[in-house]
Amino acid sequence: MHTARSHLSKSHRVLPLALLAFLAALCLGPRVAVAQESNELLPLSKVRAGMQGYAYTIFAGDQVEKFDLEVVGILDNFLGPKQSIILVQLKGQRVEHTGVVAGMSGSPVYLDGKLAGALSLKLGIFTKEPIAGVTPIQDVLNPPSQSASGQATTQQLGLPSEASTRTGLPSGSALEPIETPLVFSGFQPAALQQFANQLQGYGFVAAQGGTASPRPDDGHLVAGDMAGMVLVQGDASINSACTVTAVQADRVYLCGHPFLSLGDIQIPMARSRVVTTLSSELASTKIVNVGGSIGTITGDRLTAVTGKLGAPPAMIPLDLTLLVSGDGPAKQKTLHFELVNHPKLTPLLVALTTFSGLTQNSLYGEGTTLHLSGEIRLQGHAPVQIENTFAPGDSLSPDGLPIALTLQTVFARLFVNTFEPAKVDRIALRVESTPGRKSFVIESAWLEKGEAAPGETLRVRVLLRPYRGLARVEETPCESPSRSPGAQIFESWSATPTCSIEPPAALALRAPAAAPPVSISSSRF
């Protein structure tokens, strides 16, 4: 009797444990299946046409889903010397409905239960067959070295006639990298349109998304999850999103193709969470929210983007303050952002973030004069001071766009200097908006006399004509160079100046005290 009761007691203890394990399996589902996949790799030499396999990706939520595929063939030397591609056809109701989806790049592909590669290419034409290219796993885990100066472009690679015949596709069909969604949160389409040409030049597919609160499990990645690069974060964000191919200890491999071919980099890596997948005959894409930072993207190369789990690298703080003055009380609003520090990305990101933060601001209004001031703090150098004034124009272009383009030029010049890498600590910008168009045209300028001794101070008179106003004469001092031998003759400003003359903007800003900030445009004289 004692033995029977003991056995029955053990049975009662085992049943709850089994029930808990069953419920856990229901909850974790595909994530457990992916984690239990064999770590064995299938070399390209063992891949044959007709092999049946499967891949993992996320279509909605955090659920990693499995879909089937079949190997169509091997395209040797397709991307370059010894850079072959596995051509596959996706199968199943889900993928036949969506086709190859932007954000699916990096999806791990298994053949014979072994990891064979990462989904990376799609057909760049309208087609009912979801045909895709797979980067072999050896190339994903051991990406070939390449120069960090390479510029990413969207390549179209013609499909061989044999493969076209086998798949029933027309001749001239081409494979191209699966788009990596660039997720914008806090940016309106009107703001992105102003930089559309530059974004398309990088091969980005702009998608609107949001942000998700960081979770404790953000860093627990498995193959089939989504992660990407953090380019901007704060009151607005810009992030990329790819599928994870493999995780080895703290190393993460994703995308299966380059993001921008930036080589060795240090960019924050964040978890991405899929809201849903939008099906489209033109371009299906995943709509994602960006979660918490989980590490650093360390490499961006031909066959994969690589990352390391852990602490993310530092970013550049950007503070943007908009001040509106006028007849009533002044109003002010400050926005805070953080941007990646990279010579190819930072100038565009500063311009895009500043333009959106300025023009999508509730205090902003067209038809006002905008006075820009601020500083760029650099490591080991005095802060770079910025000051300029922009009057509203007569074109349909937003009045805030010249500010953004000016900042892009300033940062491009900082990063392309030939002396040392620019290490930016912080950016602080202030834009003051004044009602009306406060601009002047310099119609003429002359000196009080045509000769001067070295070091002598002369008076320069300038004829200014305000926008739709009466012309007036202003004066500014001009000092002759002290080391000049003998007298100097001044003919006009159109010649090379032989004395120090203040910029026209400084002269105009010394107009009567009641005058608001102004902008100056040059004219022939």
Side-chain angles (χ1 to χ4, degrees):
M1 293 297 293
H2 176 76
T3 303
R5 283 196 300 270
S6 176
H7 177 73
L8 186 61
S9 176
K10 290 180 181 179
S11 299
H12 281 299
R13 289 198 300 267
V14 170
L15 283 174
L17 292 175
L19 181 60
L20 287 174
F22 176 73
L23 292 175
L26 288 179
C27 295
L28 297 177
R31 293 181 62 84
V32 172
V34 176
Q36 292 178 348
E37 286 288 354
S38 170
N39 293 325
E40 190 174 354
L41 308 180
L42 183 68
L44 181 63
S45 59
K46 298 293 182 66
V47 178
R48 298 288 183 270
M51 293 180 71
Q52 304 293 319
Y54 49 88
Y56 290 105
T57 197
I58 296 177
F59 291 98
D62 289 330
Q63 185 178 15
V64 180
E65 297 187 36
K66 182 178 181 180
F67 58 91
D68 297 325
L69 52 84
E70 179 181 349
V71 176
V72 176
I74 308 296
L75 306 180
D76 292 325
N77 303 323
F78 191 65
L79 295 177
K82 297 185 178 181
Q83 297 293 319
S84 301
I85 284 294
I86 306 169
L87 194 66
V88 299
Q89 181 169 351
L90 311 186
K91 294 187 174 182
Q93 183 177 1
R94 170 81 85 167
V95 291
E96 289 174 0
H97 174 66
T98 64
V100 182
V101 179
M104 190 182 279
S105 56
S107 297
V109 173
Y110 293 85
L111 300 172
D112 287 344
K114 303 174 183 178
L115 183 58
L119 215 63
S120 59
L121 303 172
K122 72 166 190 175
L123 279 173
I125 61 172
F126 291 98
T127 176
K128 293 184 178 180
E129 284 78 15
I131 305 296
V134 176
T135 301
I137 190 60
Q138 296 98 322
D139 294 335
V140 173
L141 301 180
N142 302 285
S145 61
Q146 70 183 35
S147 170
S149 62
Q151 175 65 40
T153 56
T154 302
Q155 294 181 331
Q156 286 195 342
L157 305 168
L159 205 60
S161 57
E162 179 183 354
S164 298
T165 302
R166 189 178 304 164
T167 56
L169 297 170
S171 59
S173 300
L175 287 169
E176 61 184 27
I178 300 172
E179 294 92 344
T180 300
L182 197 63
V183 183
F184 291 84
S185 176
F187 292 82
Q188 294 298 318
L192 301 181
Q193 288 174 2
Q194 301 298 326
F195 298 88
N197 291 337
Q198 296 186 61
L199 293 173
Q200 291 171 2
Y202 281 107
F204 291 144
V205 174
Q208 287 188 295
T211 56
S213 300
R215 302 182 189 177
D217 63 341
D218 277 341
H220 299 295
L221 292 178
V222 299
D225 279 334
M226 293 198 69
M229 297 184 185
V230 179
L231 303 183
V232 177
Q233 65 183 13
D235 288 328
S237 64
I238 305 176
N239 307 268
S240 69
C242 273
T243 300
V244 175
T245 304
V247 181
Q248 296 182 345
D250 62 347
R251 306 298 299 180
V252 181
Y253 303 86
L254 58 160
C255 293
H257 61 64
F259 175 61
L260 286 173
S261 294
L262 298 175
D264 293 331
I265 51 176
Q266 293 286 309
I267 294 179
M269 177 171 62
R271 181 69 176 269
S272 299
R273 301 191 179 276
V274 183
V275 178
T276 189
T277 297
L278 176 64
S279 300
S280 168
E281 292 291 344
L282 176 62
S284 295
T285 186
K286 295 181 181 182
I287 300 175
V288 303
N289 285 333
V290 178
S293 296
I294 58 175
T296 303
I297 296 293
T298 57
D300 178 19
R301 304 189 182 278
L302 179 65
T303 56
V305 172
T306 56
K308 184 177 181 180
L309 296 172
M315 303 181 76
I316 303 173
L318 166 60
D319 296 329
L320 173 64
T321 299
L322 175 60
L323 175 65
V324 177
S325 59
D327 297 334
K331 299 178 182 179
Q332 181 174 309
K333 188 174 183 179
T334 300
L335 301 175
H336 305 279
F337 310 96
E338 288 185 303
L339 290 71
V340 297
N341 192 345
H342 192 277
K344 291 187 177 181
L345 298 177
T346 303
L348 175 59
L349 295 175
V350 168
L352 183 56
T353 303
T354 301
F355 177 73
S356 178
L358 177 62
T359 59
Q360 304 302 318
N361 197 313
S362 58
L363 300 183
Y364 174 80
E366 291 286 313
T368 65
T369 298
L370 302 174
H371 181 68
L372 169 68
S373 60
E375 66 177 17
I376 305 169
R377 296 182 185 176
L378 302 173
Q379 292 183 18
H381 296 277
V384 176
Q385 302 295 328
I386 302 174
E387 185 169 5
N388 208 339
T389 307
F390 304 84
D394 296 322
S395 67
L396 292 177
S397 177
D399 294 336
L401 184 59
I403 291 181
L405 298 180
T406 297
L407 290 171
Q408 184 173 5
T409 301
V410 169
F411 276 88
R413 294 177 63 185
L414 278 176
F415 281 107
V416 300
N417 81 85
T418 58
F419 302 101
E420 63 182 78
K423 299 178 180 179
V424 183
D425 280 336
R426 177 175 291 274
I427 307 167
L429 302 174
R430 184 176 184 271
V431 179
E432 182 176 356
S433 175
T434 304
R437 180 168 176 169
K438 313 300 181 182
S439 63
F440 293 79
V441 174
I442 300 176
E443 292 193 342
S444 182
W446 63 94
L447 294 169
E448 60 183 351
K449 61 180 181 178
E451 295 181 354
E456 182 180 354
T457 299
L458 300 177
R459 303 296 299 178
V460 180
R461 293 182 175 88
V462 181
L463 179 62
L464 297 177
R465 183 174 294 277
Y467 177 72
R468 293 179 179 175
L470 297 177
R472 70 171 188 256
V473 175
E474 295 290 338
E475 289 188 357
T476 187
C478 173
E479 183 177 350
S480 174
S482 59
R483 289 179 295 179
S484 300
Q488 299 291 325
I489 304 299
F490 300 90
E491 295 181 353
S492 72
W493 282 10
S494 60
T496 301
T498 55
C499 70
S500 176
I501 299 175
E502 291 189 45
L507 179 146
L509 288 172
R510 286 209 314 274
V518 298
S519 69
I520 300 297
S521 59
S522 299
S523 63
R524 294 192 300 269
F525 49 86

